[in-house]
Amino acid sequence: MKPHLKHRRTKGLKYVPLNEKLYTYLIDARSREGDAVLNALRAETQKKFEADSHMSIGRDQGSFMTMLVAAIGAKHAIEIGTFTGYSSICIARGLPERGKLLCLDASEEWTNVARKYWKKAGVDKKIELRLGPGADSLKKLEPGIKFDFAFFDADKPGYDTYYELVLPRMRSGGLILFDNMLWGGRLGTKRRIKHPNGKAIDKLNRKLAKDKRVQSVLLSIGDGVHMCRVLG
Ligand SMILES: C[S@@+](CC[C@H](N)C(=O)[O-])C[C@H]1O[C@@H](n2cnc3c(N)ncnc32)[C@H](O)[C@@H]1O
């Protein structure tokens, strides 16, 4: 056995490092892998906003989220950080016909592209967009609105605030997903984290692991998804 595999096995560490070939293989091995709307959205995002186009979630993560939303029978969802709409379409597709997704984002320019693709994907009737800083929009939410599914993919230092504002509105058994929680693979070393994004992510990962209000698992999908199931 190769020494690195022996090392992993004796330590009980089970994972497969990804590379481009393997990643391409896994994204091809999904239902809807030839999804015309999502592929067109990705292409337009790349063309119009090349420098920021990496912000859309990956295809596998999108499929995973559609499946999760449908699997828990979610009817009401919230997303903070919509960009050009990739993740919102994936969430909305998992919702039933009368399901609702509330999208919060600060950028009109980026979300104008999202609006166009919500129509193309036939999910526009399920989605409401509110523009402005995420925390402000959350503080202004009407009382009584509850969610079964939440996805956070905006400014990283804001995640904990979003979490504390959204958690009381979550139904028991609902799911909260935080994106980019492996911070490009820069976590888990002994080096002191100085960057505010890395600091916020690391602090929140540790907080969620101990938080008795949720059951949590940090998954190595995309840039890392920390998934919490709301208890109680
Ligand atoms: C990583 S992108 C979201 C990508 C999106 N989930 C997707 O899959 O295409 C981050 C988004 O968060 C938004 N954002 C950043 N800071 C924000 C804030 N304080 N309040 C609201 N939205 C914010 C940005 O405008 C941007 O559209």
Side-chain angles (χ1 to χ4, degrees), residues 57-166:
I57 60 162
R59 293 170 167 90
D60 50 328
Q61 186 178 333
S63 297
F64 176 64
M65 284 170 42
T66 304
M67 208 183 283
L68 270 186
V69 171
I72 65 164
K75 293 190 180 79
H76 296 99
I78 181 166
E79 169 179 89
I80 310 173
T82 294
F83 188 44
T84 56
Y86 197 101
S87 52
S88 55
I89 291 174
C90 297
I91 296 168
R93 278 178 172 170
L95 294 170
E97 204 56 42
R98 287 162 170 260
K100 291 283 172 220
L101 167 62
L102 178 62
C103 286
L104 308 181
D105 200 287
S107 164
E108 185 155 22
E109 189 187 10
W110 285 335
T111 53
N112 275 341
V113 177
R115 285 187 197 278
K116 182 168 117 187
Y117 280 88
W118 292 338
K119 279 211 175 75
K120 284 183 195 270
V123 294
D124 53 312
K125 302 234 164 17
K126 295 183 188 175
I127 302 180
E128 182 192 345
L129 171 68
R130 297 190 187 175
L131 286 173
D136 292 357
S137 302
L138 284 175
K139 284 175 193 156
K140 283 187 217 147
L141 267 189
E142 299 81 345
I145 296 191
K146 294 264 183 192
F147 303 106
D148 311 291
F149 185 90
F151 179 54
F152 300 156
D153 190 15
D155 55 310
K156 311 311 158 195
Y159 276 19
D160 195 21
T161 302
Y162 303 148
Y163 175 57
E164 291 300 340
L165 289 169
V166 169

Side-chain angles (χ1 to χ4, degrees), residues 201-216:
I201 289 169
D202 183 48
K203 195 169 165 205
L204 186 57
N205 277 329
R206 292 169 196 274
K207 168 175 164 168
L208 295 174
K210 287 201 202 112
D211 195 329
K212 298 265 188 302
R213 299 170 294 176
V214 295
Q215 179 187 21
S216 96

